[in-house]
Amino acid sequence: MAKDMLPRQQGFLNSPYPANTKQAAGMINGVQTEVMSISFADKIIVTIMQGGRLAQWIHVLLDSSNPNRADQHVPADSGEGGLLPLPHLTPMTLLGGGDPDREIMGQLYGTQIASAVATKKPEDTRVIVVGLGLSKIEADREIFLDIMELVLKCI
């Protein structure tokens, strides 16, 4: 049993209160960007906001039904291949999205964040929920990497 978790009592999991929260902020492409993660016993919520907005919610299951799950958590190397998401992760849009560009970008962030969590903590099976509120949807590598750098400070 993890030392930060309390034993189950009467069917409920007692976990620390308040939930562990981390935040990071920075200017990305001239726009103030705020990232926050909240770690619950069953979920990790990561929000990425610009201008205080959240327009899309995505969830990704870390737990795979594949019996070879342990083989899928190979540590990423330090090269460009380290940016590739793990292949067994499947993002699903819960709310928002709408147009194909926003949908694709949300799923990209969801998968990449879940991959980072799974690589950092291979035993973690919580659901990753990503709230995304970018002021503009841009397929720009530098913006993506800058946002992921803020995310990595929080997870």
Side-chain angles (χ1 to χ4, degrees), residues 56 58 91 93 101-111 130 132 137:
Q56 184 178 11
I58 300 101
T93 301
D101 291 340
R102 186 171 299 278
E103 189 85 19
I104 290 168
M105 192 62 65
Q107 291 186 2
L108 172 65
Y109 278 104
T111 305
V130 177
L132 194 58
I137 299 300

PDB file of all heavy atoms in Angstrom, residues 56 58 91 93 101-111 130 132 137:
ATOM      1  N   GLN A  56     -12.407  22.028 -24.478  1.00  0.00           N
ATOM      2  CA  GLN A  56     -12.450  20.636 -24.902  1.00  0.00           C
ATOM      3  C   GLN A  56     -11.934  19.750 -23.775  1.00  0.00           C
ATOM      4  O   GLN A  56     -10.981  20.104 -23.082  1.00  0.00           O
ATOM      5  CB  GLN A  56     -11.565  20.479 -26.139  1.00  0.00           C
ATOM      6  CG  GLN A  56     -11.570  19.127 -26.772  1.00  0.00           C
ATOM      7  CD  GLN A  56     -10.699  19.088 -28.020  1.00  0.00           C
ATOM      8  OE1 GLN A  56      -9.948  20.019 -28.289  1.00  0.00           O
ATOM      9  NE2 GLN A  56     -10.788  18.030 -28.773  1.00  0.00           N
ATOM     10  N   ILE A  58     -10.768  15.692 -22.953  1.00  0.00           N
ATOM     11  CA  ILE A  58     -10.366  14.416 -23.542  1.00  0.00           C
ATOM     12  C   ILE A  58     -10.001  13.478 -22.397  1.00  0.00           C
ATOM     13  O   ILE A  58      -9.442  13.920 -21.394  1.00  0.00           O
ATOM     14  CB  ILE A  58      -9.119  14.594 -24.450  1.00  0.00           C
ATOM     15  CG1 ILE A  58      -9.409  15.566 -25.586  1.00  0.00           C
ATOM     16  CG2 ILE A  58      -8.632  13.269 -25.011  1.00  0.00           C
ATOM     17  CD1 ILE A  58      -8.873  16.918 -25.331  1.00  0.00           C
ATOM     18  N   PRO A  91      -7.132   8.109 -27.107  1.00  0.00           N
ATOM     19  CA  PRO A  91      -7.848   9.257 -26.539  1.00  0.00           C
ATOM     20  C   PRO A  91      -9.299   9.277 -27.007  1.00  0.00           C
ATOM     21  O   PRO A  91      -9.632   8.786 -28.081  1.00  0.00           O
ATOM     22  CB  PRO A  91      -7.080  10.450 -27.102  1.00  0.00           C
ATOM     23  CG  PRO A  91      -6.546   9.950 -28.403  1.00  0.00           C
ATOM     24  CD  PRO A  91      -6.256   8.490 -28.197  1.00  0.00           C
ATOM     25  N   THR A  93     -12.659  12.079 -26.973  1.00  0.00           N
ATOM     26  CA  THR A  93     -13.178  13.396 -26.640  1.00  0.00           C
ATOM     27  C   THR A  93     -14.459  13.243 -25.837  1.00  0.00           C
ATOM     28  O   THR A  93     -15.387  12.548 -26.253  1.00  0.00           O
ATOM     29  CB  THR A  93     -13.432  14.222 -27.916  1.00  0.00           C
ATOM     30  OG1 THR A  93     -12.205  14.343 -28.622  1.00  0.00           O
ATOM     31  CG2 THR A  93     -13.960  15.602 -27.584  1.00  0.00           C
ATOM     32  N   ASP A 101      -9.809  19.839 -36.882  1.00  0.00           N
ATOM     33  CA  ASP A 101      -8.510  20.325 -36.407  1.00  0.00           C
ATOM     34  C   ASP A 101      -8.454  20.352 -34.885  1.00  0.00           C
ATOM     35  O   ASP A 101      -7.463  19.949 -34.278  1.00  0.00           O
ATOM     36  CB  ASP A 101      -8.212  21.720 -36.964  1.00  0.00           C
ATOM     37  CG  ASP A 101      -7.953  21.711 -38.460  1.00  0.00           C
ATOM     38  OD1 ASP A 101      -7.633  20.627 -39.005  1.00  0.00           O
ATOM     39  OD2 ASP A 101      -8.085  22.779 -39.085  1.00  0.00           O
ATOM     40  N   ARG A 102      -9.504  20.845 -34.262  1.00  0.00           N
ATOM     41  CA  ARG A 102      -9.558  20.893 -32.793  1.00  0.00           C
ATOM     42  C   ARG A 102      -9.577  19.484 -32.216  1.00  0.00           C
ATOM     43  O   ARG A 102      -8.920  19.195 -31.219  1.00  0.00           O
ATOM     44  CB  ARG A 102     -10.784  21.684 -32.336  1.00  0.00           C
ATOM     45  CG  ARG A 102     -10.841  21.897 -30.841  1.00  0.00           C
ATOM     46  CD  ARG A 102     -11.938  22.859 -30.433  1.00  0.00           C
ATOM     47  NE  ARG A 102     -11.780  24.183 -31.004  1.00  0.00           N
ATOM     48  CZ  ARG A 102     -10.975  25.129 -30.505  1.00  0.00           C
ATOM     49  NH1 ARG A 102     -10.255  24.863 -29.448  1.00  0.00           N
ATOM     50  NH2 ARG A 102     -10.909  26.304 -31.066  1.00  0.00           N
ATOM     51  N   GLU A 103     -10.313  18.603 -32.846  1.00  0.00           N
ATOM     52  CA  GLU A 103     -10.399  17.210 -32.395  1.00  0.00           C
ATOM     53  C   GLU A 103      -9.032  16.533 -32.451  1.00  0.00           C
ATOM     54  O   GLU A 103      -8.592  15.898 -31.490  1.00  0.00           O
ATOM     55  CB  GLU A 103     -11.396  16.457 -33.287  1.00  0.00           C
ATOM     56  CG  GLU A 103     -11.737  15.084 -32.811  1.00  0.00           C
ATOM     57  CD  GLU A 103     -12.843  15.081 -31.790  1.00  0.00           C
ATOM     58  OE1 GLU A 103     -13.592  16.057 -31.684  1.00  0.00           O
ATOM     59  OE2 GLU A 103     -12.943  14.073 -31.075  1.00  0.00           O
ATOM     60  N   ILE A 104      -8.336  16.681 -33.552  1.00  0.00           N
ATOM     61  CA  ILE A 104      -7.012  16.071 -33.723  1.00  0.00           C
ATOM     62  C   ILE A 104      -6.023  16.648 -32.711  1.00  0.00           C
ATOM     63  O   ILE A 104      -5.259  15.908 -32.085  1.00  0.00           O
ATOM     64  CB  ILE A 104      -6.501  16.267 -35.166  1.00  0.00           C
ATOM     65  CG1 ILE A 104      -7.331  15.401 -36.113  1.00  0.00           C
ATOM     66  CG2 ILE A 104      -5.019  15.926 -35.279  1.00  0.00           C
ATOM     67  CD1 ILE A 104      -7.119  15.720 -37.582  1.00  0.00           C
ATOM     68  N   MET A 105      -6.032  17.960 -32.533  1.00  0.00           N
ATOM     69  CA  MET A 105      -5.101  18.588 -31.604  1.00  0.00           C
ATOM     70  C   MET A 105      -5.370  18.131 -30.177  1.00  0.00           C
ATOM     71  O   MET A 105      -4.443  17.841 -29.418  1.00  0.00           O
ATOM     72  CB  MET A 105      -5.186  20.115 -31.707  1.00  0.00           C
ATOM     73  CG  MET A 105      -4.077  20.827 -30.989  1.00  0.00           C
ATOM     74  SD  MET A 105      -2.419  20.478 -31.616  1.00  0.00           S
ATOM     75  CE  MET A 105      -2.512  21.178 -33.246  1.00  0.00           C
ATOM     76  N   GLY A 106      -6.627  18.042 -29.788  1.00  0.00           N
ATOM     77  CA  GLY A 106      -6.976  17.570 -28.455  1.00  0.00           C
ATOM     78  C   GLY A 106      -6.522  16.146 -28.217  1.00  0.00           C
ATOM     79  O   GLY A 106      -5.984  15.812 -27.158  1.00  0.00           O
ATOM     80  N   GLN A 107      -6.708  15.297 -29.213  1.00  0.00           N
ATOM     81  CA  GLN A 107      -6.288  13.908 -29.074  1.00  0.00           C
ATOM     82  C   GLN A 107      -4.768  13.783 -29.043  1.00  0.00           C
ATOM     83  O   GLN A 107      -4.216  12.947 -28.334  1.00  0.00           O
ATOM     84  CB  GLN A 107      -6.907  13.070 -30.178  1.00  0.00           C
ATOM     85  CG  GLN A 107      -8.400  12.945 -29.986  1.00  0.00           C
ATOM     86  CD  GLN A 107      -9.062  12.001 -30.957  1.00  0.00           C
ATOM     87  OE1 GLN A 107      -8.419  11.378 -31.788  1.00  0.00           O
ATOM     88  NE2 GLN A 107     -10.376  11.874 -30.848  1.00  0.00           N
ATOM     89  N   LEU A 108      -4.085  14.641 -29.776  1.00  0.00           N
ATOM     90  CA  LEU A 108      -2.622  14.654 -29.748  1.00  0.00           C
ATOM     91  C   LEU A 108      -2.123  15.005 -28.343  1.00  0.00           C
ATOM     92  O   LEU A 108      -1.277  14.303 -27.780  1.00  0.00           O
ATOM     93  CB  LEU A 108      -2.074  15.652 -30.764  1.00  0.00           C
ATOM     94  CG  LEU A 108      -0.565  15.893 -30.711  1.00  0.00           C
ATOM     95  CD1 LEU A 108       0.201  14.630 -31.083  1.00  0.00           C
ATOM     96  CD2 LEU A 108      -0.181  17.043 -31.630  1.00  0.00           C
ATOM     97  N   TYR A 109      -2.652  16.090 -27.765  1.00  0.00           N
ATOM     98  CA  TYR A 109      -2.242  16.467 -26.411  1.00  0.00           C
ATOM     99  C   TYR A 109      -2.612  15.380 -25.401  1.00  0.00           C
ATOM    100  O   TYR A 109      -1.820  15.043 -24.523  1.00  0.00           O
ATOM    101  CB  TYR A 109      -2.848  17.810 -26.003  1.00  0.00           C
ATOM    102  CG  TYR A 109      -2.077  18.983 -26.533  1.00  0.00           C
ATOM    103  CD1 TYR A 109      -2.550  19.716 -27.621  1.00  0.00           C
ATOM    104  CD2 TYR A 109      -0.872  19.370 -25.964  1.00  0.00           C
ATOM    105  CE1 TYR A 109      -1.839  20.803 -28.118  1.00  0.00           C
ATOM    106  CE2 TYR A 109      -0.157  20.452 -26.453  1.00  0.00           C
ATOM    107  CZ  TYR A 109      -0.647  21.166 -27.525  1.00  0.00           C
ATOM    108  OH  TYR A 109       0.060  22.219 -28.008  1.00  0.00           O
ATOM    109  N   GLY A 110      -3.811  14.831 -25.499  1.00  0.00           N
ATOM    110  CA  GLY A 110      -4.238  13.786 -24.572  1.00  0.00           C
ATOM    111  C   GLY A 110      -3.325  12.579 -24.606  1.00  0.00           C
ATOM    112  O   GLY A 110      -2.891  12.072 -23.559  1.00  0.00           O
ATOM    113  N   THR A 111      -3.004  12.110 -25.811  1.00  0.00           N
ATOM    114  CA  THR A 111      -2.132  10.946 -25.954  1.00  0.00           C
ATOM    115  C   THR A 111      -0.721  11.239 -25.470  1.00  0.00           C
ATOM    116  O   THR A 111      -0.099  10.425 -24.799  1.00  0.00           O
ATOM    117  CB  THR A 111      -2.106  10.483 -27.421  1.00  0.00           C
ATOM    118  OG1 THR A 111      -3.438  10.242 -27.856  1.00  0.00           O
ATOM    119  CG2 THR A 111      -1.304   9.206 -27.574  1.00  0.00           C
ATOM    120  N   VAL A 130      -7.854  15.413 -19.790  1.00  0.00           N
ATOM    121  CA  VAL A 130      -7.193  16.644 -20.226  1.00  0.00           C
ATOM    122  C   VAL A 130      -8.243  17.668 -20.605  1.00  0.00           C
ATOM    123  O   VAL A 130      -9.123  17.401 -21.431  1.00  0.00           O
ATOM    124  CB  VAL A 130      -6.253  16.382 -21.428  1.00  0.00           C
ATOM    125  CG1 VAL A 130      -5.621  17.677 -21.913  1.00  0.00           C
ATOM    126  CG2 VAL A 130      -5.179  15.367 -21.064  1.00  0.00           C
ATOM    127  N   LEU A 132      -8.574  21.227 -22.384  1.00  0.00           N
ATOM    128  CA  LEU A 132      -7.772  22.013 -23.309  1.00  0.00           C
ATOM    129  C   LEU A 132      -8.512  23.288 -23.690  1.00  0.00           C
ATOM    130  O   LEU A 132      -9.679  23.242 -24.065  1.00  0.00           O
ATOM    131  CB  LEU A 132      -7.491  21.170 -24.563  1.00  0.00           C
ATOM    132  CG  LEU A 132      -6.431  21.623 -25.523  1.00  0.00           C
ATOM    133  CD1 LEU A 132      -5.079  21.751 -24.836  1.00  0.00           C
ATOM    134  CD2 LEU A 132      -6.318  20.629 -26.673  1.00  0.00           C
ATOM    135  N   ILE A 137      -5.879  27.069 -32.553  1.00  0.00           N
ATOM    136  CA  ILE A 137      -5.424  25.712 -32.850  1.00  0.00           C
ATOM    137  C   ILE A 137      -4.392  25.820 -33.969  1.00  0.00           C
ATOM    138  O   ILE A 137      -4.727  26.137 -35.113  1.00  0.00           O
ATOM    139  CB  ILE A 137      -6.597  24.805 -33.276  1.00  0.00           C
ATOM    140  CG1 ILE A 137      -7.615  24.699 -32.149  1.00  0.00           C
ATOM    141  CG2 ILE A 137      -6.103  23.438 -33.684  1.00  0.00           C
ATOM    142  CD1 ILE A 137      -7.072  24.128 -30.856  1.00  0.00           C
TER     143      ILE A 137
END
